[in-house]
């Protein structure tokens, strides 16, 4: 049975993990507020890193909302993302985001990322 947990093993933890994705991005896709960068990691699990800057979302509750939605969608899609390291960046200013619209953007970006991965 597939576990939908989000343990430490599914996270990018060190600066070098993040730097590897930034330097060797294989697949990149962006939307209005978010940018997804991904590269193959040679493992059978996906790993996620989040870069949600205070400069882009002033309020802690807004940053937390973005992180929660990205983590949740990642957890539910981890089987299809196996073998990828993904960094999600908040690239546009976000003030009091609409939860449904944010989740729709995240789901769309995952679909685009997977489609581009198939093409590569």
């Amino acid at each position: 049975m597939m576990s939908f947990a989000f343990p430490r093993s599914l996270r990018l933890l060190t600066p070098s993990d993040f730097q590897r994705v930034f330097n060797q991005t294989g697949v990149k896709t962006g939307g209005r507020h978010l940018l997804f960068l991904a590269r193959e990691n040679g493992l059978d699990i996906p790993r996620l890193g989040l870069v949600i800057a205070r400069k882009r979302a002033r309020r802690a509750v807004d940053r937390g909302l973005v992180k929660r939605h990205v983590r949740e969608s990642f957890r539910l899609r981890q089987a299809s993302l196996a073998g990828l390291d993904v960094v999600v960046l908040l690239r546009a200013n976000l003030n009091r985001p609409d939860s449904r619209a944010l989740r729709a953007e995240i789901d769309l970006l995952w679909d685009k990322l997977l489609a581009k991965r198939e093409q590569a």
Side-chain angles (χ1 to χ4, degrees), residues 4-88:
F4 289 104
F6 189 56
R8 280 179 71 85
S9 62
L10 296 182
R11 301 175 194 180
L12 295 176
L13 298 171
T14 65
S16 64
D17 289 340
F18 280 85
Q19 202 58 54
R20 245 189 311 281
V21 176
F22 290 131
N23 291 342
Q24 303 166 1
T25 301
V27 184
K28 175 172 153 179
T29 186
R32 185 167 165 223
H33 295 107
L34 299 166
L35 176 66
F36 285 35
L37 306 174
R39 72 179 284 274
E40 297 292 330
N41 64 15
L43 306 171
D44 57 352
I45 58 169
R47 296 188 302 173
L48 175 68
L50 297 169
V51 180
I52 311 299
R54 184 183 300 146
K55 182 178 178 181
R56 300 283 177 225
R58 296 294 309 162
R59 299 180 337 143
V61 292
D62 295 339
R63 293 192 301 274
L65 180 81
V66 172
K67 290 177 189 179
R68 269 194 312 280
H69 279 301
V70 172
R71 280 191 211 118
E72 174 72 4
S73 64
F74 174 82
R75 255 184 357 89
L76 297 174
R77 291 174 179 255
Q78 61 184 330
S80 60
L81 295 168
L84 282 180
D85 280 350
V86 181
V87 173
V88 176

